[in-house]
Amino acid sequence: MDDLFGEIESLATEQRNPLSIRMDEMTAEEILRLINSEDAKVAGAVSQEIPHIIRVVEELVSRFKNGGRLFYVGAGTSGRMGIIDAAECPPTFGTHWQIVQAIIAGGKEAVFQSQEGAEDKPENGAKEMALRGVKSGDMVIGIAASKRTPFVLGALEKSYSIGAFTVLLTTNPRESISYPFLNETICPVVGPEVLMGSTRMKSALAQKMVLTMITTTAMVRLGKVYENMMVDLQLTNKKLEERAKRIVMIATGCDYDRASELLKLSGRHVKTAIIMQIAHCTKEDAARVLSESDGFVKQSLGKISEH
């Protein structure tokens, strides 16, 4: 028996789900309700990992403040989950695309079509870290439902040797992980998939939830949110322009025309527009207090009221 066969056979993500053994005999409704009931277990599994997610978020915020970056590394579905989250950070939070980057085994082609064998070489993962210029101040999150993807482990080991903070996100149990090159692990154990081994199901859902939690919480802690509104969004299309106007209207109580005017006066910067309206100040004064308050709108309004 091949060693790899034995390794895969023992993974939690490769076990058979007893509730779906007769899935090929079920009606469409029965299959859908089964998938839905299994998906409902994912949030609970993620909840158990919040203490570990807290550590990752706090470390990430510290690194962002000191010029660090976040890299996601994965293969197949896991890699695509990283790409989805990284791609959403610039339009949602106004970050430069280099701040949160995603790397998938097999490159861009693997986003749309499986690249067979691309994940099997750890040296390729290490090479990607070197090409991206990963530094000691960065964080690298490897995403691997199976915990064992060679491309991901190679990237993590290389990053750890550089001094970067390394995290493995997997849906296998923590007690089964013994890699010496990890600073933290996040292990929501979602149980066997409805379709045996198809980690695009519950495992991918758990990964998506965790990654969204990490970046959203980090960005809130960096002042990119006012109350519960995105105030650092980039106005890169008509939908986002209209969303920005609505945010300014909600935050300040002004009407549509005034919100449009404020965005023009502020240089299309939502935070500045909000402060200008609430504090009845100039663009320059709003920009100054924002700088003094590390970009937090609420603290900026408090500072400007003191002057």
Side-chain angles (χ1 to χ4, degrees):
M1 182 185 296
D2 190 283
D3 289 343
L4 177 57
F5 180 90
E7 182 182 358
I8 291 174
E9 185 182 39
S10 67
L11 294 173
T13 45
E14 294 292 331
Q15 304 310 303
R16 293 186 76 185
N17 189 322
L19 299 177
S20 59
I21 285 177
R22 299 188 181 278
M23 187 166 67
D24 58 346
E25 301 173 14
M26 293 179 178
T27 65
E29 180 179 355
E30 288 171 335
I31 295 169
L32 293 170
R33 292 194 181 281
L34 174 59
I35 293 172
N36 181 243
S37 66
E38 287 294 291
D39 285 348
K41 300 174 182 178
V42 174
V46 170
S47 176
Q48 295 297 312
E49 292 301 297
I50 285 179
H52 300 276
I53 301 172
I54 290 170
R55 184 185 178 210
V56 170
V57 168
E58 290 178 342
E59 187 69 36
L60 181 59
V61 170
S62 175
R63 286 170 184 263
F64 277 157
K65 287 181 176 179
N66 288 287
R69 300 164 295 170
L70 170 62
F71 293 88
Y72 292 139
V73 185
T77 298
S78 296
R80 295 181 193 106
M81 292 301 102
I83 288 169
I84 290 170
D85 195 63
E88 289 295 335
C89 286
T92 304
F93 301 112
T95 57
H96 191 279
W97 70 267
Q98 291 184 331
I99 299 301
V100 182
Q101 299 182 42
I103 300 161
I104 185 170
K108 291 182 180 179
E109 293 82 2
V111 177
F112 303 100
Q113 186 174 353
S114 176
Q115 302 295 304
E116 301 303 331
E119 67 180 56
D120 291 337
K121 295 182 178 180
E123 61 269 26
N124 288 350
K127 187 184 299 183
E128 281 290 341
M129 297 297 95
L131 288 172
R132 300 287 178 126
V134 172
K135 300 176 182 177
S136 60
D138 296 328
M139 176 179 288
V140 178
I141 299 180
I143 314 166
S146 69
K147 78 174 181 179
R148 59 156 303 278
T149 308
F151 181 89
V152 173
L153 298 183
L156 288 168
E157 186 169 17
K158 176 65 174 178
S159 302
Y160 185 84
S161 72
I162 295 168
F165 191 91
T166 55
V167 182
L168 177 63
L169 169 57
T170 179
T171 44
N172 272 273
R174 182 169 288 100
E175 55 268 24
S176 69
I177 299 168
S178 57
Y179 306 122
F181 45 80
L182 298 176
N183 294 114
E184 184 58 274
T185 55
I186 301 174
C187 308
V189 180
V190 298
E193 301 286 1
V194 168
L195 188 62
M196 189 181 79
S198 182
T199 52
R200 70 187 182 89
M201 303 185 78
K202 289 189 294 184
S203 290
L205 179 56
Q207 291 166 353
K208 177 66 172 67
M209 290 174 70
V210 170
L211 299 183
T212 302
M213 289 167 74
I214 289 171
T215 48
T216 301
T217 306
M219 295 304 173
V220 172
R221 301 295 297 160
L222 288 169
K224 294 183 174 293
V225 172
Y226 174 53
E227 295 180 344
N228 63 350
M229 294 180 285
M230 299 181 287
V231 288
D232 250 341
L233 74 167
Q234 294 178 352
L235 281 60
T236 53
N237 59 42
K238 286 293 184 182
K239 181 191 77 173
L240 293 175
E241 287 179 8
E242 296 305 305
R243 177 180 289 165
K245 292 172 189 175
R246 184 164 181 266
I247 289 170
V248 173
M249 291 169 66
I250 293 171
T252 68
C254 73
D255 62 20
Y256 181 89
D257 290 339
R258 177 58 177 163
S260 301
E261 180 185 16
L262 284 164
L263 285 170
K264 288 180 182 177
L265 293 172
S266 66
R268 294 163 62 84
H269 192 248
V270 176
K271 287 182 178 180
T272 303
I274 291 171
I275 295 169
M276 288 172 65
Q277 177 67 9
I278 294 177
H280 305 291
C281 67
T282 64
K283 173 185 173 183
E284 290 71 25
D285 284 339
R288 174 178 54 78
V289 292
L290 269 171
S291 177
E292 292 173 356
S293 305
D294 295 325
F296 284 83
V297 172
K298 198 164 288 184
Q299 285 89 322
S300 297
L301 291 170
K303 278 184 178 293
I304 207 164
S305 66
E306 295 170 0
H307 292 285

